[in-house]
Amino acid sequence: VRRFLLTVAAAVVVVGFPGGAAAGWAIHGSGSGAVKAKTLGTGAAPTTSVSGRKVTVTWTAITYTNGGNAAGYVIKRYDASTDALQTILSACTGTLTTLTCIENNVPKGSWKYTVTPATANWRGPESAKSATVTV
Amino acid sequence: VSRTLGVSAAAAAAVAATALTGAAATGVLRSPQAKRGPALVLRGHVVGLYPGARKRLVVVVHNRSRRTLRVRAISVRVRNASRRCRAGNIHVTASKRPLRIRPGGSRRVALTVAMRGTSPNACQGAVFPLAFRSRVDVPRLPRPKNGR
């Protein structure tokens, strides 16, 4: 019996303290956290001026809700009477990194413009429509 | 009688062995003064990511135990923010810098978190939960000077 108990006690030491009592042992720490992404904010309505068939559209920088400017802007043109979206023409197409653009060869009519902040695939809320510009 | 004694001793030994190895097996060393949580707790938050951005993620590592702990590495698992904004849009670097933390002390570790330039519009305002995990060594106990 005594020999058996001694054997068991030795087994406890070996299993319970691998490497002996003086050795260190490994554990794991754990915890949690989070990463929060920004949100694009809404910009003010752009301003416009007309010269012949050229319309100059100007807008102010649009920021994220928690700081920093949007990387670019998308300009849209609407029919002032029907609100129908029109095809924007050069040089206001695509994502612009400037704060102004001049749309050339604008058809005769009455138009309104909007600006939408854009960063890569992200799009912010579209601004309110500008005052009507007549070409 | 001897058989009963033997069986009881074996059972006690098994319980003791389980109790002693339990901390390592589950990966949690319970601190004597704080029975409610793990000995080493990691926390870290960062805000302000957008497509293509890189930010510093400061992780605070707190040692709640009564022993000095040596953190060997910190790994981070990113979870999906939503069904349309998956974890793959974020990359967090792991830290392999060894760190020694005194009992009750805290250390700060700076990791880098980056958002893919192709992250979808659904990732605007998204919150990605992080799960930190660290490999920790409990340094050897000093040998008593007169212990020869």
Side-chain angles (χ1 to χ4, degrees), chain A residues 1 5 8 15 24-38 40 121-123, chain B residues 2 9 13 21 27 42 44 46 48-49 118 120-121 124-126 128 130 132 134 136 138:
Chain A
V1 172
L5 288 174
V8 169
V15 175
W25 68 90
I27 62 167
H28 290 108
S30 60
S32 60
V35 174
K36 191 175 189 310
K38 287 187 173 189
L40 286 163
N121 293 328
W122 288 15
R123 295 290 178 273
Chain B
S2 64
T21 57
L42 299 97
V46 65
L49 275 172
T118 56
N121 193 46
Q124 269 195 77
F128 297 87
L130 304 177
F132 298 109
S134 63
V136 183
V138 180

PDB file of all heavy atoms in Angstrom, chain A residues 1 5 8 15 24-38 40 121-123, chain B residues 2 9 13 21 27 42 44 46 48-49 118 120-121 124-126 128 130 132 134 136 138:
ATOM      1  N   VAL A   1       0.841  -1.203   0.000  1.00  0.00           N
ATOM      2  CA  VAL A   1       0.000   0.000   0.000  1.00  0.00           C
ATOM      3  C   VAL A   1       0.871   1.246   0.000  1.00  0.00           C
ATOM      4  O   VAL A   1       0.656   2.162  -0.771  1.00  0.00           O
ATOM      5  CB  VAL A   1      -0.928   0.010   1.235  1.00  0.00           C
ATOM      6  CG1 VAL A   1      -1.655   1.341   1.339  1.00  0.00           C
ATOM      7  CG2 VAL A   1      -1.916  -1.130   1.142  1.00  0.00           C
ATOM      8  N   LEU A   5       1.015   4.191  -2.842  1.00  0.00           N
ATOM      9  CA  LEU A   5       0.747   5.608  -2.566  1.00  0.00           C
ATOM     10  C   LEU A   5       1.917   6.488  -2.993  1.00  0.00           C
ATOM     11  O   LEU A   5       1.726   7.578  -3.530  1.00  0.00           O
ATOM     12  CB  LEU A   5       0.445   5.801  -1.075  1.00  0.00           C
ATOM     13  CG  LEU A   5      -0.913   5.251  -0.611  1.00  0.00           C
ATOM     14  CD1 LEU A   5      -1.033   5.373   0.901  1.00  0.00           C
ATOM     15  CD2 LEU A   5      -2.057   5.971  -1.289  1.00  0.00           C
ATOM     16  N   VAL A   8       1.754   6.902  -6.737  1.00  0.00           N
ATOM     17  CA  VAL A   8       0.698   7.848  -7.121  1.00  0.00           C
ATOM     18  C   VAL A   8       1.141   9.282  -6.851  1.00  0.00           C
ATOM     19  O   VAL A   8       0.953  10.174  -7.683  1.00  0.00           O
ATOM     20  CB  VAL A   8      -0.614   7.528  -6.364  1.00  0.00           C
ATOM     21  CG1 VAL A   8      -1.625   8.651  -6.556  1.00  0.00           C
ATOM     22  CG2 VAL A   8      -1.186   6.208  -6.851  1.00  0.00           C
ATOM     23  N   VAL A  15       2.722  14.868 -13.484  1.00  0.00           N
ATOM     24  CA  VAL A  15       1.638  15.361 -14.338  1.00  0.00           C
ATOM     25  C   VAL A  15       1.305  16.810 -14.002  1.00  0.00           C
ATOM     26  O   VAL A  15       1.078  17.640 -14.870  1.00  0.00           O
ATOM     27  CB  VAL A  15       0.385  14.467 -14.186  1.00  0.00           C
ATOM     28  CG1 VAL A  15      -0.780  15.044 -14.967  1.00  0.00           C
ATOM     29  CG2 VAL A  15       0.703  13.057 -14.651  1.00  0.00           C
ATOM     30  N   GLY A  24       8.782  27.123 -15.287  1.00  0.00           N
ATOM     31  CA  GLY A  24       7.620  27.926 -15.613  1.00  0.00           C
ATOM     32  C   GLY A  24       6.637  27.096 -16.406  1.00  0.00           C
ATOM     33  O   GLY A  24       6.941  25.995 -16.819  1.00  0.00           O
ATOM     34  N   TRP A  25       5.420  27.622 -16.587  1.00  0.00           N
ATOM     35  CA  TRP A  25       4.469  26.909 -17.438  1.00  0.00           C
ATOM     36  C   TRP A  25       3.743  27.929 -18.291  1.00  0.00           C
ATOM     37  O   TRP A  25       3.797  29.132 -18.035  1.00  0.00           O
ATOM     38  CB  TRP A  25       3.527  26.031 -16.626  1.00  0.00           C
ATOM     39  CG  TRP A  25       2.559  26.763 -15.757  1.00  0.00           C
ATOM     40  CD1 TRP A  25       1.313  27.174 -16.095  1.00  0.00           C
ATOM     41  CD2 TRP A  25       2.756  27.158 -14.395  1.00  0.00           C
ATOM     42  NE1 TRP A  25       0.719  27.799 -15.033  1.00  0.00           N
ATOM     43  CE2 TRP A  25       1.574  27.797 -13.981  1.00  0.00           C
ATOM     44  CE3 TRP A  25       3.808  27.036 -13.490  1.00  0.00           C
ATOM     45  CZ2 TRP A  25       1.419  28.316 -12.706  1.00  0.00           C
ATOM     46  CZ3 TRP A  25       3.641  27.553 -12.226  1.00  0.00           C
ATOM     47  CH2 TRP A  25       2.466  28.171 -11.845  1.00  0.00           C
ATOM     48  N   ALA A  26       3.074  27.430 -19.320  1.00  0.00           N
ATOM     49  CA  ALA A  26       2.457  28.326 -20.293  1.00  0.00           C
ATOM     50  C   ALA A  26       0.960  28.429 -20.061  1.00  0.00           C
ATOM     51  O   ALA A  26       0.308  27.454 -19.720  1.00  0.00           O
ATOM     52  CB  ALA A  26       2.727  27.819 -21.693  1.00  0.00           C
ATOM     53  N   ILE A  27       0.439  29.639 -20.226  1.00  0.00           N
ATOM     54  CA  ILE A  27      -1.001  29.857 -20.160  1.00  0.00           C
ATOM     55  C   ILE A  27      -1.369  30.753 -21.341  1.00  0.00           C
ATOM     56  O   ILE A  27      -0.522  31.145 -22.125  1.00  0.00           O
ATOM     57  CB  ILE A  27      -1.428  30.543 -18.845  1.00  0.00           C
ATOM     58  CG1 ILE A  27      -0.770  31.918 -18.749  1.00  0.00           C
ATOM     59  CG2 ILE A  27      -1.100  29.678 -17.661  1.00  0.00           C
ATOM     60  CD1 ILE A  27      -1.371  32.778 -17.662  1.00  0.00           C
ATOM     61  N   HIS A  28      -2.629  31.076 -21.458  1.00  0.00           N
ATOM     62  CA  HIS A  28      -3.063  31.995 -22.498  1.00  0.00           C
ATOM     63  C   HIS A  28      -3.802  33.154 -21.863  1.00  0.00           C
ATOM     64  O   HIS A  28      -4.580  32.969 -20.945  1.00  0.00           O
ATOM     65  CB  HIS A  28      -3.986  31.294 -23.487  1.00  0.00           C
ATOM     66  CG  HIS A  28      -3.283  30.302 -24.349  1.00  0.00           C
ATOM     67  ND1 HIS A  28      -3.440  28.958 -24.190  1.00  0.00           N
ATOM     68  CD2 HIS A  28      -2.401  30.469 -25.350  1.00  0.00           C
ATOM     69  CE1 HIS A  28      -2.684  28.332 -25.066  1.00  0.00           C
ATOM     70  NE2 HIS A  28      -2.052  29.217 -25.784  1.00  0.00           N
ATOM     71  N   GLY A  29      -3.545  34.337 -22.392  1.00  0.00           N
ATOM     72  CA  GLY A  29      -4.343  35.484 -21.999  1.00  0.00           C
ATOM     73  C   GLY A  29      -5.405  35.699 -23.054  1.00  0.00           C
ATOM     74  O   GLY A  29      -5.274  35.213 -24.180  1.00  0.00           O
ATOM     75  N   SER A  30      -6.457  36.390 -22.704  1.00  0.00           N
ATOM     76  CA  SER A  30      -7.504  36.632 -23.688  1.00  0.00           C
ATOM     77  C   SER A  30      -8.175  37.965 -23.408  1.00  0.00           C
ATOM     78  O   SER A  30      -7.988  38.563 -22.352  1.00  0.00           O
ATOM     79  CB  SER A  30      -8.531  35.500 -23.656  1.00  0.00           C
ATOM     80  OG  SER A  30      -9.113  35.439 -22.373  1.00  0.00           O
ATOM     81  N   GLY A  31      -8.938  38.414 -24.379  1.00  0.00           N
ATOM     82  CA  GLY A  31      -9.653  39.666 -24.215  1.00  0.00           C
ATOM     83  C   GLY A  31     -10.337  40.047 -25.522  1.00  0.00           C
ATOM     84  O   GLY A  31     -10.262  39.326 -26.512  1.00  0.00           O
ATOM     85  N   SER A  32     -11.016  41.174 -25.485  1.00  0.00           N
ATOM     86  CA  SER A  32     -11.762  41.575 -26.676  1.00  0.00           C
ATOM     87  C   SER A  32     -11.548  43.048 -26.966  1.00  0.00           C
ATOM     88  O   SER A  32     -11.033  43.790 -26.131  1.00  0.00           O
ATOM     89  CB  SER A  32     -13.249  41.298 -26.473  1.00  0.00           C
ATOM     90  OG  SER A  32     -13.709  42.029 -25.355  1.00  0.00           O
ATOM     91  N   GLY A  33     -11.961  43.448 -28.143  1.00  0.00           N
ATOM     92  CA  GLY A  33     -11.838  44.836 -28.567  1.00  0.00           C
ATOM     93  C   GLY A  33     -12.686  45.055 -29.799  1.00  0.00           C
ATOM     94  O   GLY A  33     -13.525  44.212 -30.133  1.00  0.00           O
ATOM     95  N   ALA A  34     -12.457  46.166 -30.465  1.00  0.00           N
ATOM     96  CA  ALA A  34     -13.250  46.453 -31.661  1.00  0.00           C
ATOM     97  C   ALA A  34     -12.533  47.465 -32.546  1.00  0.00           C
ATOM     98  O   ALA A  34     -11.717  48.252 -32.072  1.00  0.00           O
ATOM     99  CB  ALA A  34     -14.621  46.992 -31.266  1.00  0.00           C
ATOM    100  N   VAL A  35     -12.857  47.382 -33.816  1.00  0.00           N
ATOM    101  CA  VAL A  35     -12.389  48.366 -34.791  1.00  0.00           C
ATOM    102  C   VAL A  35     -13.630  48.993 -35.411  1.00  0.00           C
ATOM    103  O   VAL A  35     -14.508  48.277 -35.890  1.00  0.00           O
ATOM    104  CB  VAL A  35     -11.554  47.693 -35.903  1.00  0.00           C
ATOM    105  CG1 VAL A  35     -11.205  48.689 -36.989  1.00  0.00           C
ATOM    106  CG2 VAL A  35     -10.300  47.071 -35.327  1.00  0.00           C
ATOM    107  N   LYS A  36     -13.696  50.310 -35.361  1.00  0.00           N
ATOM    108  CA  LYS A  36     -14.875  50.978 -35.919  1.00  0.00           C
ATOM    109  C   LYS A  36     -14.483  51.789 -37.153  1.00  0.00           C
ATOM    110  O   LYS A  36     -13.498  52.537 -37.121  1.00  0.00           O
ATOM    111  CB  LYS A  36     -15.513  51.906 -34.876  1.00  0.00           C
ATOM    112  CG  LYS A  36     -16.885  52.417 -35.307  1.00  0.00           C
ATOM    113  CD  LYS A  36     -17.549  53.222 -34.204  1.00  0.00           C
ATOM    114  CE  LYS A  36     -19.000  53.556 -34.507  1.00  0.00           C
ATOM    115  NZ  LYS A  36     -19.257  54.148 -35.824  1.00  0.00           N
ATOM    116  N   ALA A  37     -15.256  51.625 -38.209  1.00  0.00           N
ATOM    117  CA  ALA A  37     -14.984  52.335 -39.466  1.00  0.00           C
ATOM    118  C   ALA A  37     -15.703  53.680 -39.482  1.00  0.00           C
ATOM    119  O   ALA A  37     -16.695  53.878 -38.785  1.00  0.00           O
ATOM    120  CB  ALA A  37     -15.436  51.482 -40.641  1.00  0.00           C
ATOM    121  N   LYS A  38     -15.181  54.568 -40.302  1.00  0.00           N
ATOM    122  CA  LYS A  38     -15.782  55.900 -40.421  1.00  0.00           C
ATOM    123  C   LYS A  38     -17.062  55.854 -41.252  1.00  0.00           C
ATOM    124  O   LYS A  38     -17.358  54.844 -41.892  1.00  0.00           O
ATOM    125  CB  LYS A  38     -14.796  56.842 -41.118  1.00  0.00           C
ATOM    126  CG  LYS A  38     -13.616  57.254 -40.263  1.00  0.00           C
ATOM    127  CD  LYS A  38     -12.813  58.314 -40.991  1.00  0.00           C
ATOM    128  CE  LYS A  38     -11.725  58.887 -40.103  1.00  0.00           C
ATOM    129  NZ  LYS A  38     -11.082  60.058 -40.698  1.00  0.00           N
ATOM    130  N   LEU A  40     -19.141  58.444 -44.099  1.00  0.00           N
ATOM    131  CA  LEU A  40     -19.093  59.690 -44.868  1.00  0.00           C
ATOM    132  C   LEU A  40     -20.279  60.583 -44.511  1.00  0.00           C
ATOM    133  O   LEU A  40     -21.411  60.091 -44.386  1.00  0.00           O
ATOM    134  CB  LEU A  40     -19.107  59.379 -46.368  1.00  0.00           C
ATOM    135  CG  LEU A  40     -17.804  58.823 -46.932  1.00  0.00           C
ATOM    136  CD1 LEU A  40     -18.029  58.169 -48.293  1.00  0.00           C
ATOM    137  CD2 LEU A  40     -16.762  59.936 -47.055  1.00  0.00           C
ATOM    138  N   ASN A 121     -15.001  52.454 -52.796  1.00  0.00           N
ATOM    139  CA  ASN A 121     -16.363  51.951 -53.038  1.00  0.00           C
ATOM    140  C   ASN A 121     -17.405  52.606 -52.135  1.00  0.00           C
ATOM    141  O   ASN A 121     -18.591  52.316 -52.262  1.00  0.00           O
ATOM    142  CB  ASN A 121     -16.407  50.431 -52.800  1.00  0.00           C
ATOM    143  CG  ASN A 121     -15.604  49.684 -53.833  1.00  0.00           C
ATOM    144  OD1 ASN A 121     -15.506  50.100 -54.985  1.00  0.00           O
ATOM    145  ND2 ASN A 121     -15.004  48.573 -53.430  1.00  0.00           N
ATOM    146  N   TRP A 122     -16.967  53.419 -51.233  1.00  0.00           N
ATOM    147  CA  TRP A 122     -17.907  54.036 -50.290  1.00  0.00           C
ATOM    148  C   TRP A 122     -18.579  55.268 -50.911  1.00  0.00           C
ATOM    149  O   TRP A 122     -17.926  56.053 -51.609  1.00  0.00           O
ATOM    150  CB  TRP A 122     -17.188  54.487 -49.022  1.00  0.00           C
ATOM    151  CG  TRP A 122     -16.759  53.381 -48.122  1.00  0.00           C
ATOM    152  CD1 TRP A 122     -16.673  52.051 -48.421  1.00  0.00           C
ATOM    153  CD2 TRP A 122     -16.325  53.518 -46.769  1.00  0.00           C
ATOM    154  NE1 TRP A 122     -16.215  51.367 -47.341  1.00  0.00           N
ATOM    155  CE2 TRP A 122     -15.989  52.223 -46.310  1.00  0.00           C
ATOM    156  CE3 TRP A 122     -16.187  54.599 -45.918  1.00  0.00           C
ATOM    157  CZ2 TRP A 122     -15.526  51.998 -45.021  1.00  0.00           C
ATOM    158  CZ3 TRP A 122     -15.722  54.385 -44.637  1.00  0.00           C
ATOM    159  CH2 TRP A 122     -15.396  53.082 -44.196  1.00  0.00           C
ATOM    160  N   ARG A 123     -19.843  55.420 -50.631  1.00  0.00           N
ATOM    161  CA  ARG A 123     -20.587  56.603 -51.063  1.00  0.00           C
ATOM    162  C   ARG A 123     -21.337  57.166 -49.866  1.00  0.00           C
ATOM    163  O   ARG A 123     -22.023  56.430 -49.148  1.00  0.00           O
ATOM    164  CB  ARG A 123     -21.607  56.249 -52.153  1.00  0.00           C
ATOM    165  CG  ARG A 123     -20.980  55.758 -53.455  1.00  0.00           C
ATOM    166  CD  ARG A 123     -20.255  56.884 -54.195  1.00  0.00           C
ATOM    167  NE  ARG A 123     -19.618  56.420 -55.413  1.00  0.00           N
ATOM    168  CZ  ARG A 123     -18.389  55.903 -55.486  1.00  0.00           C
ATOM    169  NH1 ARG A 123     -17.662  55.775 -54.382  1.00  0.00           N
ATOM    170  NH2 ARG A 123     -17.877  55.530 -56.632  1.00  0.00           N
TER     171      ARG A 123
ATOM    172  N   SER B   2      -6.488  -2.344   2.312  1.00  0.00           N
ATOM    173  CA  SER B   2      -5.432  -1.801   1.467  1.00  0.00           C
ATOM    174  C   SER B   2      -5.969  -1.448   0.084  1.00  0.00           C
ATOM    175  O   SER B   2      -5.587  -0.448  -0.523  1.00  0.00           O
ATOM    176  CB  SER B   2      -4.282  -2.803   1.351  1.00  0.00           C
ATOM    177  OG  SER B   2      -4.744  -3.972   0.707  1.00  0.00           O
ATOM    178  N   ALA B   9      -6.753   6.707  -2.903  1.00  0.00           N
ATOM    179  CA  ALA B   9      -5.547   7.471  -3.220  1.00  0.00           C
ATOM    180  C   ALA B   9      -5.470   7.762  -4.706  1.00  0.00           C
ATOM    181  O   ALA B   9      -5.128   8.870  -5.118  1.00  0.00           O
ATOM    182  CB  ALA B   9      -4.318   6.681  -2.774  1.00  0.00           C
ATOM    183  N   ALA B  13      -5.537  11.382  -6.358  1.00  0.00           N
ATOM    184  CA  ALA B  13      -4.431  11.775  -7.234  1.00  0.00           C
ATOM    185  C   ALA B  13      -4.954  12.306  -8.561  1.00  0.00           C
ATOM    186  O   ALA B  13      -4.458  13.297  -9.094  1.00  0.00           O
ATOM    187  CB  ALA B  13      -3.515  10.568  -7.469  1.00  0.00           C
ATOM    188  N   THR B  21      -3.292  20.680 -13.486  1.00  0.00           N
ATOM    189  CA  THR B  21      -3.056  20.899 -14.912  1.00  0.00           C
ATOM    190  C   THR B  21      -4.188  21.668 -15.554  1.00  0.00           C
ATOM    191  O   THR B  21      -4.090  22.071 -16.690  1.00  0.00           O
ATOM    192  CB  THR B  21      -2.901  19.561 -15.648  1.00  0.00           C
ATOM    193  OG1 THR B  21      -4.070  18.800 -15.405  1.00  0.00           O
ATOM    194  CG2 THR B  21      -1.666  18.827 -15.196  1.00  0.00           C
ATOM    195  N   GLY B  27      -6.144  27.139 -20.654  1.00  0.00           N
ATOM    196  CA  GLY B  27      -5.497  28.357 -21.091  1.00  0.00           C
ATOM    197  C   GLY B  27      -5.761  29.536 -20.183  1.00  0.00           C
ATOM    198  O   GLY B  27      -5.553  30.668 -20.571  1.00  0.00           O
ATOM    199  N   LEU B  42      -6.586  41.342 -22.109  1.00  0.00           N
ATOM    200  CA  LEU B  42      -6.168  42.239 -23.194  1.00  0.00           C
ATOM    201  C   LEU B  42      -7.368  43.039 -23.679  1.00  0.00           C
ATOM    202  O   LEU B  42      -8.466  42.489 -23.845  1.00  0.00           O
ATOM    203  CB  LEU B  42      -5.595  41.427 -24.357  1.00  0.00           C
ATOM    204  CG  LEU B  42      -4.364  40.590 -24.049  1.00  0.00           C
ATOM    205  CD1 LEU B  42      -4.751  39.151 -23.744  1.00  0.00           C
ATOM    206  CD2 LEU B  42      -3.398  40.621 -25.216  1.00  0.00           C
ATOM    207  N   GLY B  44      -8.395  46.446 -26.487  1.00  0.00           N
ATOM    208  CA  GLY B  44      -7.921  47.383 -27.501  1.00  0.00           C
ATOM    209  C   GLY B  44      -9.022  47.815 -28.447  1.00  0.00           C
ATOM    210  O   GLY B  44      -9.814  46.975 -28.882  1.00  0.00           O
ATOM    211  N   VAL B  46      -9.987  50.781 -31.727  1.00  0.00           N
ATOM    212  CA  VAL B  46      -9.542  51.834 -32.626  1.00  0.00           C
ATOM    213  C   VAL B  46     -10.742  52.275 -33.466  1.00  0.00           C
ATOM    214  O   VAL B  46     -11.594  51.457 -33.816  1.00  0.00           O
ATOM    215  CB  VAL B  46      -8.358  51.371 -33.521  1.00  0.00           C
ATOM    216  CG1 VAL B  46      -8.772  50.276 -34.470  1.00  0.00           C
ATOM    217  CG2 VAL B  46      -7.757  52.529 -34.277  1.00  0.00           C
ATOM    218  N   GLY B  48     -12.066  55.064 -36.751  1.00  0.00           N
ATOM    219  CA  GLY B  48     -11.637  55.942 -37.835  1.00  0.00           C
ATOM    220  C   GLY B  48     -11.022  55.256 -39.026  1.00  0.00           C
ATOM    221  O   GLY B  48     -10.225  55.869 -39.737  1.00  0.00           O
ATOM    222  N   LEU B  49     -11.386  54.005 -39.278  1.00  0.00           N
ATOM    223  CA  LEU B  49     -10.852  53.342 -40.479  1.00  0.00           C
ATOM    224  C   LEU B  49     -11.709  53.657 -41.699  1.00  0.00           C
ATOM    225  O   LEU B  49     -12.917  53.840 -41.587  1.00  0.00           O
ATOM    226  CB  LEU B  49     -10.795  51.839 -40.264  1.00  0.00           C
ATOM    227  CG  LEU B  49      -9.540  51.359 -39.552  1.00  0.00           C
ATOM    228  CD1 LEU B  49      -9.660  49.891 -39.221  1.00  0.00           C
ATOM    229  CD2 LEU B  49      -8.303  51.584 -40.410  1.00  0.00           C
ATOM    230  N   THR B 118     -10.589  48.017 -51.158  1.00  0.00           N
ATOM    231  CA  THR B 118     -11.758  47.528 -51.896  1.00  0.00           C
ATOM    232  C   THR B 118     -12.943  47.221 -50.983  1.00  0.00           C
ATOM    233  O   THR B 118     -13.909  46.597 -51.416  1.00  0.00           O
ATOM    234  CB  THR B 118     -11.398  46.239 -52.654  1.00  0.00           C
ATOM    235  OG1 THR B 118     -10.884  45.289 -51.711  1.00  0.00           O
ATOM    236  CG2 THR B 118     -10.354  46.497 -53.730  1.00  0.00           C
ATOM    237  N   PRO B 120     -16.366  47.180 -49.215  1.00  0.00           N
ATOM    238  CA  PRO B 120     -17.640  47.630 -49.788  1.00  0.00           C
ATOM    239  C   PRO B 120     -18.280  48.770 -48.997  1.00  0.00           C
ATOM    240  O   PRO B 120     -17.905  49.034 -47.854  1.00  0.00           O
ATOM    241  CB  PRO B 120     -18.513  46.374 -49.727  1.00  0.00           C
ATOM    242  CG  PRO B 120     -17.956  45.594 -48.594  1.00  0.00           C
ATOM    243  CD  PRO B 120     -16.477  45.871 -48.573  1.00  0.00           C
ATOM    244  N   ASN B 121     -19.242  49.394 -49.635  1.00  0.00           N
ATOM    245  CA  ASN B 121     -19.949  50.518 -49.004  1.00  0.00           C
ATOM    246  C   ASN B 121     -20.603  50.092 -47.685  1.00  0.00           C
ATOM    247  O   ASN B 121     -20.759  50.906 -46.778  1.00  0.00           O
ATOM    248  CB  ASN B 121     -21.011  51.046 -49.979  1.00  0.00           C
ATOM    249  CG  ASN B 121     -21.561  52.391 -49.550  1.00  0.00           C
ATOM    250  OD1 ASN B 121     -20.807  53.288 -49.193  1.00  0.00           O
ATOM    251  ND2 ASN B 121     -22.866  52.522 -49.561  1.00  0.00           N
ATOM    252  N   GLN B 124     -19.149  51.050 -44.197  1.00  0.00           N
ATOM    253  CA  GLN B 124     -19.215  52.381 -43.571  1.00  0.00           C
ATOM    254  C   GLN B 124     -19.836  52.260 -42.185  1.00  0.00           C
ATOM    255  O   GLN B 124     -20.913  51.683 -42.027  1.00  0.00           O
ATOM    256  CB  GLN B 124     -20.089  53.308 -44.405  1.00  0.00           C
ATOM    257  CG  GLN B 124     -19.343  54.086 -45.449  1.00  0.00           C
ATOM    258  CD  GLN B 124     -20.174  55.243 -45.987  1.00  0.00           C
ATOM    259  OE1 GLN B 124     -20.313  56.264 -45.323  1.00  0.00           O
ATOM    260  NE2 GLN B 124     -20.703  55.068 -47.180  1.00  0.00           N
ATOM    261  N   GLY B 125     -19.164  52.810 -41.203  1.00  0.00           N
ATOM    262  CA  GLY B 125     -19.690  52.794 -39.833  1.00  0.00           C
ATOM    263  C   GLY B 125     -19.677  51.413 -39.182  1.00  0.00           C
ATOM    264  O   GLY B 125     -20.194  51.246 -38.081  1.00  0.00           O
ATOM    265  N   ALA B 126     -19.082  50.436 -39.859  1.00  0.00           N
ATOM    266  CA  ALA B 126     -19.106  49.060 -39.346  1.00  0.00           C
ATOM    267  C   ALA B 126     -18.231  48.928 -38.101  1.00  0.00           C
ATOM    268  O   ALA B 126     -17.224  49.622 -37.959  1.00  0.00           O
ATOM    269  CB  ALA B 126     -18.617  48.101 -40.426  1.00  0.00           C
ATOM    270  N   PHE B 128     -16.070  46.044 -36.199  1.00  0.00           N
ATOM    271  CA  PHE B 128     -15.500  44.696 -36.282  1.00  0.00           C
ATOM    272  C   PHE B 128     -15.085  44.251 -34.871  1.00  0.00           C
ATOM    273  O   PHE B 128     -14.157  44.838 -34.303  1.00  0.00           O
ATOM    274  CB  PHE B 128     -14.261  44.689 -37.179  1.00  0.00           C
ATOM    275  CG  PHE B 128     -14.523  45.064 -38.612  1.00  0.00           C
ATOM    276  CD1 PHE B 128     -14.515  46.396 -39.003  1.00  0.00           C
ATOM    277  CD2 PHE B 128     -14.763  44.099 -39.568  1.00  0.00           C
ATOM    278  CE1 PHE B 128     -14.753  46.759 -40.321  1.00  0.00           C
ATOM    279  CE2 PHE B 128     -15.003  44.439 -40.886  1.00  0.00           C
ATOM    280  CZ  PHE B 128     -15.005  45.775 -41.264  1.00  0.00           C
ATOM    281  N   LEU B 130     -13.098  42.237 -32.143  1.00  0.00           N
ATOM    282  CA  LEU B 130     -11.770  41.616 -32.111  1.00  0.00           C
ATOM    283  C   LEU B 130     -11.696  40.648 -30.932  1.00  0.00           C
ATOM    284  O   LEU B 130     -12.244  40.918 -29.863  1.00  0.00           O
ATOM    285  CB  LEU B 130     -10.675  42.677 -31.941  1.00  0.00           C
ATOM    286  CG  LEU B 130     -10.607  43.805 -32.960  1.00  0.00           C
ATOM    287  CD1 LEU B 130      -9.509  44.793 -32.571  1.00  0.00           C
ATOM    288  CD2 LEU B 130     -10.343  43.265 -34.356  1.00  0.00           C
ATOM    289  N   PHE B 132      -8.681  38.938 -28.798  1.00  0.00           N
ATOM    290  CA  PHE B 132      -7.234  38.863 -28.563  1.00  0.00           C
ATOM    291  C   PHE B 132      -6.898  37.556 -27.866  1.00  0.00           C
ATOM    292  O   PHE B 132      -7.676  37.046 -27.061  1.00  0.00           O
ATOM    293  CB  PHE B 132      -6.757  40.017 -27.672  1.00  0.00           C
ATOM    294  CG  PHE B 132      -6.980  41.357 -28.270  1.00  0.00           C
ATOM    295  CD1 PHE B 132      -7.947  42.215 -27.763  1.00  0.00           C
ATOM    296  CD2 PHE B 132      -6.211  41.791 -29.347  1.00  0.00           C
ATOM    297  CE1 PHE B 132      -8.147  43.465 -28.311  1.00  0.00           C
ATOM    298  CE2 PHE B 132      -6.414  43.035 -29.897  1.00  0.00           C
ATOM    299  CZ  PHE B 132      -7.377  43.869 -29.380  1.00  0.00           C
ATOM    300  N   SER B 134      -3.217  35.613 -26.253  1.00  0.00           N
ATOM    301  CA  SER B 134      -1.769  35.730 -26.084  1.00  0.00           C
ATOM    302  C   SER B 134      -1.208  34.461 -25.464  1.00  0.00           C
ATOM    303  O   SER B 134      -1.871  33.792 -24.666  1.00  0.00           O
ATOM    304  CB  SER B 134      -1.426  36.932 -25.216  1.00  0.00           C
ATOM    305  OG  SER B 134      -1.963  36.750 -23.938  1.00  0.00           O
ATOM    306  N   VAL B 136       1.492  33.047 -23.027  1.00  0.00           N
ATOM    307  CA  VAL B 136       2.150  33.616 -21.853  1.00  0.00           C
ATOM    308  C   VAL B 136       2.983  32.559 -21.142  1.00  0.00           C
ATOM    309  O   VAL B 136       2.556  31.408 -21.017  1.00  0.00           O
ATOM    310  CB  VAL B 136       1.097  34.161 -20.862  1.00  0.00           C
ATOM    311  CG1 VAL B 136       1.766  34.814 -19.669  1.00  0.00           C
ATOM    312  CG2 VAL B 136       0.176  35.137 -21.558  1.00  0.00           C
ATOM    313  N   VAL B 138       4.860  31.753 -17.509  1.00  0.00           N
ATOM    314  CA  VAL B 138       5.078  32.143 -16.113  1.00  0.00           C
ATOM    315  C   VAL B 138       6.536  31.817 -15.826  1.00  0.00           C
ATOM    316  O   VAL B 138       6.925  30.655 -15.879  1.00  0.00           O
ATOM    317  CB  VAL B 138       4.158  31.356 -15.166  1.00  0.00           C
ATOM    318  CG1 VAL B 138       4.405  31.774 -13.732  1.00  0.00           C
ATOM    319  CG2 VAL B 138       2.709  31.571 -15.557  1.00  0.00           C
TER     320      VAL B 138
END
